[in-house]
Amino acid sequence: MDLRDYISKLETELPDQLLRIKKEVNPAEFEATAILQHLENNDQYPTVIFENNVNVNGDKSEFSSIINVFASRERCALAMNMDVSAKDLPLSLEYAAREKTMIEPTVISREEAPVKQTVKIEDEVDLSEYPIIRFHEMDPAPYLDVTAFVKDPDGGFYNGAFQRTMYKGKRKLGLHMSPRHNWQIARKYEERNEPTPIIIVVGHHPSFYLGSLNVSPFGNDDYAKIGSIMGESLRLVPSETWGDQFMVPADAEMIIEGEIVPNHREVEGPFGEFPGTYGPQRVRWVINVRAVTHRKDAIFQSIFTGHRETWILGAIPKEGTLFNRIKGVVPTTRSVHLPLSSVGRFHCYISIDKKVDGESKQAALIALGECDFVKHVVVVDSDIDPFKEEQVMWAMATRVQADHDVDIIKNVKGNTLDPSQLDDIMGAKMIIDATKPVSRLFSQRIKVPDSVMNRISLQHFLEE
């Protein structure tokens, strides 16, 4: 499974969701994202392939590029080899089911690996040859924003995460890491005053990237988890820099190999981040690039960070896990959704078939405990579809009294990129119980009789 397989499948099954731009585009001068923003302004979110790019130097690039792959849940379902009609909760539950297992990777030879068709080592490397994107107005330079992998020096497992890397020169990148798993591994190397081996995977099958967003505990091997999400063993090949001490995905479009310099920081950012606001300029890590390998006609992949693509990517891997955790305590849980309106992370909508007053808050507390991104939880009755936000808002309007149904939890760890926080660490969480009370009568929702709805066929009455 690789990116080319997916593009072919997309052209066959969802051709209206793929757009090819043949005219010349300069990604480093915001032209690629300007086209995406125009499409978004027209409520259009296709996968876009730019066939004629200019590189960072301003010269014609030999590489095409692709972006916005994940901007529809239908395309994500397609990536998981599911019917596109399963794009909502069934997709998230399938992800959660696959996440529980592991498929060990398969090692192949360099001769078999498409990503080894072109190999550049040390001084042969020049990142300015590639169509790296400058995304938003305040970004100080072009950025890579796909998955980076490191290897734990003690456990030997690999961990991947979407991380932004700022172009700083032919063989130099700035790296921002939140204090999560990759950061934890890099700190281990730094404490030993050793460079951290790191790779950046620039282009692969979409299920590879979905798999890299798994929410498994620290210590699980992400290559094995990614294989499970993809539904097949991930093919690996020895790296150029470290040989078989660090394996890399063989079917990627491009691999950038480098080392995080220990005990050295430089200015990085600002950068337009997933909430749709800028992550601030900070002093951050630096990567010295050691090698680049790629297919001869590599497709350079980016993520449209801060827009629908990032939000859907963030939501799917969390929804199924949240659903399973909540349903284990509140058996009547019907659905869970992290909506686009909250950048796929900050709001969580839960529907339950409430039997006892208090179940709604129990469900909400589990959601807050399981996912530190979530800060506002809205619990609704089972007659409300959490994937239809208008229904959730209706429930809030007609079933909530703020003094009785809203709870605020203060001094809770928040997300460092949440622009509403008063500092980088502490925030607040809110629970809104938009369910009807069980212990007293409550006004019923209007409806057309089921018997008539079942008898009346819309298609029959629309036929001439």
Side-chain angles (χ1 to χ4, degrees):
M1 293 171 66
D2 61 19
L3 182 57
R4 284 88 186 311
D5 293 333
Y6 179 76
I7 292 172
S8 297
K9 192 171 184 178
L10 184 60
E11 286 178 318
T12 300
E13 299 195 26
L14 294 172
D16 59 328
Q17 293 199 29
L18 178 64
L19 176 64
R20 293 181 180 269
I21 302 293
K22 300 184 182 298
K23 293 184 177 180
E24 185 177 273
V25 172
N26 188 341
E29 294 297 329
F30 308 108
E31 291 183 3
T33 48
I35 291 169
L36 290 169
Q37 187 64 64
H38 277 301
L39 288 165
E40 185 176 310
N41 293 345
N42 292 330
D43 202 27
Q44 296 175 291
Y45 306 93
T47 290
V48 180
I49 297 176
F50 296 100
E51 298 183 347
N52 187 6
N53 289 300
V54 170
N55 64 25
V56 174
N57 286 328
D59 302 322
K60 181 174 176 58
S61 174
E62 62 180 286
F63 303 98
S64 61
S65 59
I66 190 169
I67 193 169
N68 231 32
V69 169
F70 303 95
S72 88
R73 293 183 71 108
E74 290 90 348
R75 297 202 293 271
C76 292
L78 192 69
M80 297 274 287
N81 287 320
M82 299 177 67
D83 191 279
V84 296
S85 65
K87 63 184 177 65
D88 292 334
L89 186 62
L91 170 60
S92 300
L93 291 177
E94 176 63 21
Y95 186 102
R98 296 187 193 184
E99 191 180 37
K100 293 178 180 178
T101 64
M102 302 176 79
I103 298 178
E104 293 301 318
T106 301
V107 176
I108 65 172
S109 68
R110 284 180 166 86
E111 292 71 28
E112 297 175 274
V115 79
K116 298 291 188 177
Q117 290 172 354
T118 299
V119 177
K120 295 185 177 183
I121 305 294
E122 303 291 351
D123 290 340
E124 297 173 335
V125 173
D126 184 356
L127 296 178
S128 67
E129 296 177 347
Y130 308 122
I132 310 176
I133 291 181
R134 197 173 174 195
F135 291 86
H136 298 104
E137 186 175 23
M138 289 176 62
D139 295 356
Y143 269 82
L144 297 157
D145 64 347
V146 283
T147 303
F149 286 83
V150 293
K151 183 180 181 181
D152 187 82
D154 301 318
F157 56 86
Y158 294 88
N159 194 86
F162 278 88
Q163 290 172 329
R164 69 191 203 214
T165 51
M166 174 183 169
Y167 173 79
K168 283 178 168 278
K170 291 183 178 182
R171 292 178 52 198
K172 185 177 181 181
L173 294 166
L175 168 67
H176 170 78
M177 289 188 289
S178 296
R180 294 179 182 271
H181 295 173
N182 275 14
W183 176 89
Q184 187 173 345
I185 292 171
R187 290 297 296 269
K188 288 185 179 183
Y189 284 96
E190 191 165 56
E191 287 169 359
R192 303 172 191 189
N193 200 32
E194 297 176 0
T196 305
I198 186 170
I199 66 165
I200 302 169
V201 182
V202 188
H204 209 303
H205 193 276
S207 60
F208 171 91
Y209 288 114
L210 283 164
S212 71
L213 284 164
N214 73 83
V215 290
S216 300
F218 183 75
N220 283 286
D221 186 80
D222 270 355
Y223 283 162
K225 282 292 181 184
I226 287 169
S228 183
I229 300 300
M230 294 179 72
E232 69 174 38
S233 179
L234 179 67
R235 302 204 308 171
L236 301 178
V237 65
S239 62
E240 295 302 310
T241 306
W242 312 282
D244 58 9
Q245 295 302 303
F246 198 119
M247 307 299 289
V248 303
D251 295 297
E253 295 293 316
M254 178 182 293
I255 301 289
I256 298 173
E257 301 178 8
E259 294 175 336
I260 304 173
V261 183
N263 303 303
H264 178 73
R265 306 287 191 272
E266 293 183 7
V267 170
E268 182 274 334
F271 179 73
E273 270 288 358
F274 76 83
T277 54
Y278 289 97
Q281 187 177 79
R282 296 184 174 99
V283 177
R284 284 294 184 258
W285 292 265
V286 173
I287 298 173
N288 286 338
V289 177
R290 300 285 308 276
V292 175
T293 71
H294 60 77
R295 296 172 185 246
K296 289 180 180 178
D297 57 345
I299 305 170
F300 198 91
Q301 187 166 1
S302 299
I303 306 297
F304 196 19
T305 303
H307 297 261
R308 182 176 290 220
E309 182 172 25
T310 322
W311 304 340
I312 291 175
L313 261 175
I316 291 170
K318 299 178 183 67
E319 288 171 346
T321 300
L322 282 171
F323 176 88
N324 290 333
R325 297 285 196 277
I326 297 165
K327 192 173 180 64
V329 177
V330 183
T332 60
T333 301
R334 294 290 178 260
S335 189
V336 173
H337 181 41
L338 303 176
L340 287 170
S341 61
S342 70
V343 302
R345 290 162 176 82
F346 291 154
H347 291 177
C348 179
Y349 300 158
I350 306 169
S351 70
I352 64 173
D353 186 12
K354 189 171 72 171
K355 303 300 183 185
V356 179
D357 287 326
E359 280 186 322
S360 48
K361 289 182 183 178
Q362 185 72 56
L365 288 168
I366 296 168
L368 292 174
E370 286 292 330
C371 183
D372 61 354
F373 280 103
V374 173
K375 64 177 188 178
H376 300 151
V377 182
V378 182
V379 186
V380 295
D381 291 298
S382 58
D383 64 332
I384 302 296
D385 183 352
F387 283 84
K388 295 180 179 178
E389 195 161 47
E390 186 176 350
Q391 293 187 20
V392 176
M393 294 298 103
W394 177 86
M396 286 177 59
T398 61
R399 297 176 179 178
V400 172
Q401 286 296 317
D403 63 339
H404 184 265
D405 297 311
V406 177
D407 292 283
I408 297 174
I409 306 169
K410 297 181 179 180
N411 299 317
V412 185
K413 176 183 175 291
N415 185 271
T416 57
L417 290 171
D418 179 359
S420 70
Q421 287 193 172
L422 297 179
D423 59 47
D424 279 348
I425 301 174
M426 304 305 290
K429 309 284 187 177
M430 179 169 65
I431 297 171
I432 300 176
D433 184 356
T435 62
K436 297 179 292 183
V438 174
S439 57
R440 64 179 177 87
L441 294 175
F442 196 89
S443 297
Q444 294 298 304
R445 190 177 181 185
I446 57 175
K447 60 181 291 189
V448 176
D450 290 337
S451 59
V452 181
M453 289 294 295
N454 294 332
R455 177 169 57 82
I456 295 296
S457 166
L458 180 61
Q459 183 178 354
H460 170 76
F461 283 91
L462 294 180
E463 290 175 350
E464 295 183 0

